Amino acid sequence: MDVAFLNGDNVMKSISRLLRSCCRQIDFISRYAYDEFAFVLPESGDTGVEAVIGRVRGRIDTLNAQLAGKVDSVKLKPLFGGVTYPQGASTKELLLSRANQNLLKNRP
């Protein structure tokens, strides 16, 4: 992997491609904040969400292995927080709030 990857714009583009590769064509991924992405996974339920999380973790582990030894102290550490609709929340505001609460629970 080229060290030029570590430029901020390139990192976000690469992460976006990595995330897209973990999802189905009908899934929607959006950059929500600087380093946060929101996923909309229609008809997935908890099992589908866990499958996507597993794929993302695996691909990020692979990317971290590729970066190891090339650049000191660079390691991507994904955190996940999610909620399902309508079981976990019934409005957009509740979905975002509960997903954020779940994300914060996973922070070190």
Side-chain angles (χ1 to χ4, degrees), residues 36 46 49-50 53 57 78-84 87-89 94-108:
E36 294 179 4
D46 291 336
V49 171
E50 290 300 320
I53 288 172
R57 284 185 201 275
L79 297 173
F80 300 93
V83 64
T84 57
Q87 301 83 1
L94 274 175
L95 281 166
L96 292 173
S97 176
R98 290 188 179 152
N100 193 51
Q101 287 171 357
N102 290 335
L103 179 66
L104 293 174
K105 285 180 196 174
N106 292 320
R107 290 204 183 262

Side-chain angles (χ1 to χ4, degrees), residues 20-80:
R20 180 76 246 156
S21 73
C22 295
C23 295
R24 305 166 299 173
Q25 197 156 14
I26 64 168
D27 296 335
F28 177 78
I29 303 167
S30 173
R31 190 169 172 192
Y32 186 67
Y34 177 73
D35 61 349
E36 294 179 4
F37 292 84
F39 290 66
V40 177
L41 309 172
E43 302 175 11
S44 291
D46 291 336
T47 303
V49 171
E50 290 300 320
V52 170
I53 288 172
R55 287 193 292 271
V56 170
R57 284 185 201 275
R59 294 207 174 113
I60 288 179
D61 287 346
T62 299
L63 182 58
N64 281 332
Q66 291 171 346
L67 291 173
K70 295 186 179 182
V71 178
D72 292 335
S73 74
V74 173
K75 185 172 183 183
L76 301 171
K77 299 175 187 173
L79 297 173
F80 300 93

